[in-house]
Amino acid sequence: MQTFTTIADLRAALAPHRLDGRTIGLVPTMGYLHVGHMELARRALADNDIVVATIFVNPLQFGANEDLARYPRDLARDQAMLEAAGVHYLFAPGVADMYPRPMETVVDVPTLGAELEGSVRPGHFAGVATVVTKLFNIAGPDRAYFGEKDYQQLAIIRRMVADLAQPLEVVGVPTVREADGLACSSRNVYLSAEERAAAAIVPRALEEAERLVAAGETDAKRLEAAVTAFIAAEPLARPEVVAIRDPDTLAEIGSVGDRPVLLLLFVRFGGTKLLDNRVIGPKNAKR
Ligand SMILES: Nc1ncnc2c1ncn2[C@@H]1O[C@H](COP(=O)(O)OP(=O)(O)OP(=O)(O)O)[C@@H](O)[C@H]1O
Ligand SMILES: CC(C)(CO)[C@@H](O)C(=O)[O-]
Ligand code: BAL
């Protein structure tokens, strides 16, 4: 595997592959890799001739009081994991490589980006949409891989690709979990031992919601309230977003049980945010 830090070097390496008609899969990440990221890489390797992973902790998507400076980083370990998996190229630019000047041009997502996680992270999804567009422009992939764990992010990227006719396929990859059900996440390392044990409440809340719907709950607001109370019963957990939405449009919906609905959770443990979600209903029946 070759690692590049400049846009020009990555483009030079990919140009001959494109000329020879090889397909390129892109796996964008912020690094500190775990088995969830490696599942994206595995899928990309299965579908494409050449796979490019990217590691960039993107300042544009962090709010002023967020964890940009302390975001976990370990490039040598990440390189070894990607190399062992068979990834062909790693693009790991510095901030000056990606943003040599302040960005004048950005991709905004004013409606989808303002709700749910966006309501507690203003500007976050515009930062994501902008960097992902730039990574697409740099690598020119045929397919790009994103985790379903970041459901709103995946929905926004799908919408962006459609709205802007970006010439690639977006592939969503199911969430990889720890033994107790907690979704793998780079930020899990921030959790204290007590918080890590308590965090199992998050996937259990998804199970609880599924149980309530199976038991006949039909009202979205009542279900949100019940799930919020279930999470809040764990003293270390602060539920910030508990929302039932349309799985495709993320629009609010009133009733559950008659069609698949998205349950999206954003829960804080101390200073750490954890995300999870599940599509509940007929669409999810075989999961
Ligand atoms: N458990 C997981 N299963 C599948 N994909 C995942 C998982 N965790 C993250 N991803 C995906 O990996 C890509 C890169 O995510 P990122 O580097 O932000 O990792 P992360 O673990 O989500 O980090 P954070 O803890 O900062 O949210 C995203 O598309 C994300 O959805
Ligand atoms: C897609 C992404 C790499 C853009 O910075 C980031 O938001 C992430 O890791 O999910
Ligand atoms: N995993 C999404 C990237 C972020 O939280 O900034």
Side-chain angles (χ1 to χ4, degrees), residues 27-31 37 54 56-58 61-62 71 124-125 127-129 131-132 135 145-147 149-150 153 157:
V27 180
T29 82
M30 303 206 302
H37 297 115
T54 75
F56 181 58
V57 183
N58 171 36
Q61 70 189 69
F62 284 78
Y71 195 84
H124 169 67
F125 286 111
V128 170
V131 79
V132 168
L135 291 170
Y145 294 79
F146 297 91
K149 188 197 75 185
D150 298 272
Q153 169 171 283
I157 290 168

Side-chain angles (χ1 to χ4, degrees), residues 7-207:
I7 295 171
D9 285 346
L10 180 69
R11 283 196 169 139
L14 293 178
H17 293 302
R18 200 166 291 110
L19 274 178
D20 287 345
R22 296 195 187 97
T23 56
I24 297 171
L26 185 72
V27 180
T29 82
M30 303 206 302
Y32 211 72
L33 303 180
H34 52 65
V35 290
H37 297 115
M38 299 319 291
E39 179 62 12
L40 303 191
R42 196 188 64 72
R43 282 287 307 273
L45 284 159
D47 296 348
N48 302 278
D49 299 314
I50 297 294
V51 171
V52 181
T54 75
I55 294 180
F56 181 58
V57 183
N58 171 36
L60 287 189
Q61 70 189 69
F62 284 78
N65 300 319
E66 292 185 351
D67 56 344
L68 175 62
R70 70 177 187 123
Y71 195 84
R73 291 165 166 88
D74 189 343
L75 185 62
R77 177 171 149 275
D78 290 348
Q79 281 174 311
M81 288 170 72
L82 294 168
E83 170 113 49
V87 168
H88 302 89
Y89 300 107
L90 170 62
F91 182 52
V95 173
D97 298 306
M98 279 299 272
Y99 305 130
R101 295 182 289 184
M103 291 291 273
E104 173 68 12
T105 311
V106 299
V107 179
D108 199 5
V109 280
T111 310
L112 275 181
E115 50 187 309
L116 299 169
E117 187 180 359
S119 70
V120 282
R121 301 184 74 186
H124 169 67
F125 286 111
V128 170
T130 300
V131 79
V132 168
T133 294
K134 190 153 183 172
L135 291 170
F136 288 171
N137 287 339
I138 292 166
D142 297 276
R143 299 183 189 85
Y145 294 79
F146 297 91
E148 287 178 358
K149 188 197 75 185
D150 298 272
Y151 194 102
Q152 186 176 10
Q153 169 171 283
L154 176 59
I156 285 171
I157 290 168
R158 285 193 195 284
R159 178 64 187 265
M160 173 183 84
V161 165
D163 281 353
L164 300 180
Q166 293 176 329
L168 72 153
E169 180 191 344
V170 175
V171 182
V173 178
T175 302
V176 178
R177 298 177 179 280
E178 308 270 359
D180 65 353
L182 181 67
C184 300
S185 177
S186 305
R187 288 189 173 101
N188 289 353
V189 294
Y190 295 157
L191 299 169
S192 68
E194 294 74 26
E195 288 167 344
R196 173 62 192 82
I201 194 76
V202 179
R204 281 178 37 222
L206 301 176
E207 300 288 345

